[in-house]
Amino acid sequence: DWLARAVARLPEQTIIADGAQVPVAGRHLFITHHPGPRRAPVVEGDRLILQGGDQSSLGKRIEVWLKERARAEVTTIARACAATLGTKVGTIKMRDTKGQWGACTHKGDMSFSWRLAMAPPDVLDYVAAHEAAHLLEMNHGPRFWAHVEALRPNWRTQRNWLKAEGGTLHRYRFKA
């Protein structure tokens, strides 16, 4: 009974395919596939347009594109926040984690969930700033939160969004 209730609470899965919707930077976009020479995905209005390639590769192409977007954005933000704090970021890796949106090692290396590319931009921004604060404090004590507060005074709103809505970013399946 417990397992049946837990499964019933899971969000409905969305397979990424032509006609489906996928969130990009907090906006739900309709996936549209066109024949022709293969090109990188393009956002036009409420559409994520993919040209060329096989329909069966759409999910993988969109996943790669989202990873690239997430990496570029978190790298820029984490480095800027680190500079503000007078420190530096090591390497940055993108992962598909379910338990953590970001992590920072004592060496300054960071990893982030690429699914942050689907979240609203201020949520991605908060996670990058949060990890940058770990460059100075490898804990969640008062000094750590003071660094987060200095970097992003409205951080609580974004953390609350992650707690309430973050799990929905895992409902999207990019592989058939």
Side-chain angles (χ1 to χ4, degrees):
D1 286 342
W2 173 87
L3 183 57
R5 287 191 307 274
V7 169
R9 286 192 307 267
L10 292 173
E12 183 180 326
Q13 299 295 296
T14 298
I15 304 297
I16 298 301
D18 192 17
Q21 284 189 1
V22 63
V24 176
R27 292 179 44 218
H28 280 84
L29 303 177
F30 289 95
I31 300 167
T32 305
H33 180 252
H34 295 298
R38 189 171 169 151
R39 295 201 175 128
V42 175
V43 175
E44 288 184 8
D46 67 348
R47 303 226 171 258
L48 177 59
I49 299 171
L50 288 94
Q51 183 173 308
D54 187 82
Q55 292 247 3
S56 65
S57 70
L58 293 182
K60 185 63 179 167
R61 286 174 63 193
I62 294 170
E63 179 180 333
V64 167
W65 180 73
L66 286 169
K67 284 179 185 178
E68 290 169 358
R69 284 179 62 101
R71 177 186 299 281
E73 292 172 22
V74 299
T75 298
T76 299
I77 296 164
R79 286 184 177 156
C81 289
T84 298
L85 296 172
T87 188
K88 290 186 179 181
V89 174
T91 61
I92 293 181
K93 294 181 180 176
M94 304 311 294
R95 302 183 189 272
D96 193 12
T97 56
K98 288 193 168 82
Q100 289 183 301
W101 295 106
C104 181
T105 71
H106 68 281
K107 291 181 181 178
D109 297 333
M110 296 181 179
S111 64
F112 295 91
S113 171
W114 61 264
R115 290 178 185 264
L116 287 168
M118 296 188 284
D122 58 339
V123 171
L124 180 145
D125 179 82
Y126 156 69
V127 174
H130 178 112
E131 296 312 321
H134 279 307
L135 294 168
L136 297 179
E137 294 291 331
M138 294 299 291
N139 58 61
H140 288 112
R143 291 190 342 207
F144 166 81
W145 289 111
H147 294 307
V148 173
E149 183 82 24
L151 292 168
R152 300 296 184 267
N154 296 322
W155 62 270
R156 287 173 186 84
T157 302
Q158 287 75 43
R159 186 178 70 169
N160 289 341
W161 187 94
L162 280 171
K163 286 181 178 184
E165 304 293 333
T168 64
L169 302 180
H170 292 285
R171 71 181 272 198
Y172 297 93
R173 296 288 164 247
F174 293 84
K175 296 174 181 95

